[in-house]
Amino acid sequence: MKHLKQLFWISDNNGQHKKISRPAALFNLLLVAALWVALFWFSLRTIQIRLDFTFLGEFRIRIWNGFLATLGLSLFSLIFSLLIGILSAAGQSSSVLFIRFFCSVYVKFIRGTPLIMQIYLFFYIVGTAWGVSNRFIAGVLILSIFEGAYIAEIIRGSLLSLEESQLEAARAVGFSRRQTWRFVILPQMITRTLPALTGQFASIIKDSSLLSIIAVIELTQTMREISAVNFRLFECYLFLGILYLCLTLPVSLISERLERRFQYEN
Amino acid sequence: MKIKFQNLSKQYEPEHVILNPMDFEDEVHTLAVIGPSGGGKSTLLRIIGGLIAPTTGKLWVDSDEIRQNEASLQQYRKTIGFVFQQGGLFRHMSALDNIAVPLEQVHGYSRTKSRSRALELLERFGLKEDAGKKPAALSGGQQQRVAIARAVAAQPKLLLLDEPTSALDPEYTTEVLNVIRELKEEGMRFIIVTHEMGFARHACDKAAFLCEGSLLEYGESAQLFAHPETEQLQRFLGKLLEWNV
């Protein structure tokens, strides 16, 4: 009876660190997987669909290119949105009122409106008015503007959480302004923002799928095109989900690990 | 070391006075600043340390006037050691780095020399095993000993301690006070804001009583504790004695 319980429950271990034994973890993961598969299988059977993934081989080069395009879009957007985020976080604490209001209006507008609306709107501004005809570049710009607002909030939050006592100590040991940034503020901010920023990268990867509505040929758009030809909607989107997970799962795992590591330090 | 202020005061808003204008001039070796909470003790210490600017008045340390511009304050702070009540260590740095990084970056020590100096101090204060630990992994008493080690590492001309034991359990309080007494025996000059009256009385040459933003009494510690003149100091000391064993 006790053994059975250990297989399902996290043992308390006398108030020590709660430990999950390896067999119990494996067993429960299998159980969860079996449930999901059963659920899918049952649903598909009800609507009388038989999955057939064999067509994927035929499209492998297009799918691979789409996968690379999504990865590229996300990486470039990460870099630009970081830049935008840092600038607008700094701008929001600027003493020049115009800059301060400009940045906070930008952050509030972006965070308060849906991405799909921004994509349509900015595509006509960025694409048509600014003359950016390359859809990949337009996609990177639009996504960076969107994610930059979220990153600005992450950075602003960590700046606010810096304790006054740390800055006072920096002055007391004789650090100059620059040294204070280099040896105190930046290292503390990086450890605080890195887990959240990594998580934001997973969001960028997922959000990039919406760029398919302006026909940026990335992973989602590729799959949409393939499914429009062969009508294998279920297989296409199921596989699409798996491909996104291949990108986002490792990123989330890294984010979780970073979070745990930095928790120990604070 | 001669410390002098003239008409020194601090207020934040017109109605929020922290320190009333005060004058002071004396040779300071070891000085305890005592008084009720909110009396302006920490503010005065920060002004002396060049961490906040006075609203009015002038300040001389070692017969040099402390000018309130950032460049000269930065030079001045290098010559002073400051220990905060708590949270003064850089939380992302190990005990060793807390001491070594300022030595290297501010005082121009080489990397090897700053590390060996930091290790020497940690060993001296019984913290050799903890050199690699971050502040969060140290006890309150250990943290304060590291903070003191950092403050004295570059041989400052004056050490300022702002209630270094107020956040500590009694057993840690003793270990920190012992460290300060040892420093005194080596000739370190310091000003300490403290609620440890035994330490103020027996380990400090002079004592100053600050109450509601005014310097009410100043003199030899032994004299000040034995014969308090003002009613405020008598009441303050009386309250402290109420629960003494």
Side-chain angles (χ1 to χ4, degrees), chain B residues 95-96 99 118-128 131 146 149:
Chain B
L96 183 82
I99 304 169
L119 271 174
E120 170 199 323
L121 282 161
L122 287 172
E123 189 167 0
R124 206 198 123 180
F125 292 155
L127 294 159
K128 200 178 164 200
V146 175

Side-chain angles (χ1 to χ4, degrees), chain B residues 98-145:
Chain B
N98 258 289
I99 304 169
V101 171
L103 280 181
E104 195 182 330
Q105 300 300 332
V106 178
H107 301 281
Y109 283 47
S110 71
R111 197 175 163 73
T112 37
K113 215 179 143 209
S114 66
R115 311 215 130 228
S116 65
R117 170 77 176 141
L119 271 174
E120 170 199 323
L121 282 161
L122 287 172
E123 189 167 0
R124 206 198 123 180
F125 292 155
L127 294 159
K128 200 178 164 200
E129 265 79 68
D130 307 301
K133 289 185 189 161
K134 301 250 162 81
L138 299 171
S139 75
Q142 289 171 327
Q143 287 181 28
Q144 287 306 64
R145 281 183 283 150

